[in-house]
Amino acid sequence: GTDVWAGNARDIIQSGEAEFKDIVGCRDDIMVNLIAYGMESKKAFKIMEFVRKGKPSADPETWRGFAEDMRACAVPEWYIENCRRIKYMFPKAHAAAYVISAFRIAWFKVHMPIYYYASYYSVRCKDFDIVTMCNGYDAIKAKFDEISDKGFDAAQKESDLAGELQLAMEMTKRGYNFKMIDLQKSDAKNFIIDEDGKSLIFPFRGLDGLGENVAQAIIEERNKAPFLSIEDLAIRAKVNSTTIEKMRVLHIFDGMSESNQLSLFD
């Protein structure tokens, strides 16, 4: 939730007023605890709903009345304050679901890491430095350090990229790597696990300036028939000249002819 632990329960525990087992961890705790203190069930439910939406700070007058109801049941002041500071809370079932999900993700990261990294970069990441990431650990770390050295002067896009590079360093340290966009294998938006089981092939969207529609068009045209040349790709998938030039620089077209026309000297 929001303002449940930091600046709230943690401070109360550190002050010695309560133990970890006693503080409010999720919304259900409030109703159950208040009923245990002797409060009538309906009132306990109302207070729980009031607190879990963060209303004590938004409606202090109503909260004062609820706080008096709690004192009438001998609820400790630290508990009342614990509730007052809360801005939003998960129900216990929701919290448990998050923990179960975290364990599942952690299992994949430990036991099937390439699937974890493929999923993470496909689902969670938007901006990439494709050249740096395909050049291995040293290049990734150098770029990460460059952004880190800028501190608060780093642009938002650079800060977002730093998080992706940090995970990329971990991934490459574990013996995995990234591969450049492949005209025959790359997906439009998802990272593909290469046949070696150790590499992630960049999707077309990993190329800066290549939009989702164009990426999908490349896949659709590739499925219809192989691209005969760079010109053929540009025409059929409607790829602009700027993007074509970027792909050329990245050696994505290596071994591919420029046009469909045959030369007597070829």
Side-chain angles (χ1 to χ4, degrees):
T2 305
D3 291 348
V4 175
W5 175 250
N8 192 352
R10 181 175 60 189
D11 296 347
I12 292 171
I13 293 168
Q14 290 176 342
S15 70
E17 294 178 275
E19 296 181 39
F20 183 82
K21 64 181 179 63
D22 299 320
I23 53 92
V24 179
C26 50
R27 67 178 68 161
D28 314 54
D29 291 338
I30 299 171
M31 184 177 73
V32 172
N33 290 341
L34 292 181
I35 291 174
Y37 277 115
M39 184 175 287
E40 186 264 327
S41 299
K42 189 174 182 180
K43 177 61 68 69
F45 176 80
K46 283 185 177 180
I47 292 176
M48 176 188 72
E49 287 296 286
F50 193 81
V51 170
R52 67 103 172 171
K53 295 176 182 178
K55 289 187 176 180
S57 56
D59 185 359
E61 185 174 345
T62 301
W63 175 246
R64 278 193 289 271
F66 282 144
E68 287 305 316
D69 291 335
M70 294 166 78
R71 291 187 182 98
C73 293
V75 175
E77 286 298 322
W78 68 261
Y79 194 92
I80 296 172
E81 180 62 13
N82 189 184
C83 291
R84 187 191 69 80
R85 296 183 189 181
I86 290 168
K87 295 297 188 299
Y88 176 76
M89 296 196 80
F90 287 126
K92 185 172 287 187
H94 193 168
Y98 265 60
V99 174
I100 292 170
S101 178
F103 272 110
R104 286 173 173 160
I105 293 169
W107 186 91
F108 272 91
K109 189 171 187 179
V110 172
H111 298 288
M112 303 186 75
I114 194 66
Y115 289 92
Y116 167 83
Y117 295 118
S119 299
Y120 183 90
Y121 281 108
S122 297
V123 175
R124 299 298 298 272
C125 301
K126 296 180 180 178
D127 297 315
F128 305 97
D129 186 331
I130 189 169
V131 174
T132 296
M133 293 170 76
C134 287
N135 278 334
Y137 177 83
D138 291 338
I140 297 168
K141 186 176 188 306
K143 185 66 175 181
F144 175 79
D145 290 342
E146 177 189 323
I147 296 173
S148 298
D149 289 343
K150 292 183 180 181
F152 292 113
D153 292 328
Q156 184 59 51
K157 189 171 183 178
E158 290 179 309
S159 297
D160 293 341
L161 177 61
E164 298 175 17
L165 294 176
Q166 192 169 31
L167 190 69
M169 283 192 287
E170 174 191 286
M171 174 179 141
T172 50
K173 267 294 186 182
R174 297 180 74 183
Y176 301 96
N177 60 80
F178 294 96
K179 285 187 176 179
M180 183 55 67
I181 292 170
D182 188 311
L183 283 178
Q184 306 307 319
K185 297 180 180 179
S186 288
D187 185 60
K189 67 179 206 176
N190 294 321
F191 283 74
I192 299 297
I193 299 172
D194 202 6
E195 296 169 358
D196 60 12
K198 290 283 187 177
S199 308
L200 293 183
I201 302 173
F202 256 93
F204 287 107
R205 72 177 177 94
L207 181 62
D208 188 33
L210 198 158
E212 186 176 331
N213 291 337
V214 175
Q216 195 57 49
I218 293 174
I219 299 295
E220 291 173 1
E221 290 300 320
R222 182 182 71 190
N223 291 339
K224 293 176 184 176
F227 294 115
L228 301 177
S229 65
I230 298 173
E231 179 186 50
D232 185 39
L233 167 69
I235 294 172
R236 286 166 54 192
K238 296 180 174 56
V239 184
N240 63 46
S241 58
T242 302
T243 301
I244 288 291
E245 189 55 37
K246 288 181 180 179
M247 295 173 80
R248 195 193 310 276
V249 170
L250 293 174
H251 301 285
I252 296 172
F253 298 135
D254 284 2
M256 199 173 189
S257 61
E258 286 290 330
S259 70
N260 294 350
Q261 294 182 355
L262 296 176
S263 169
L264 289 173
F265 304 102
D266 284 345

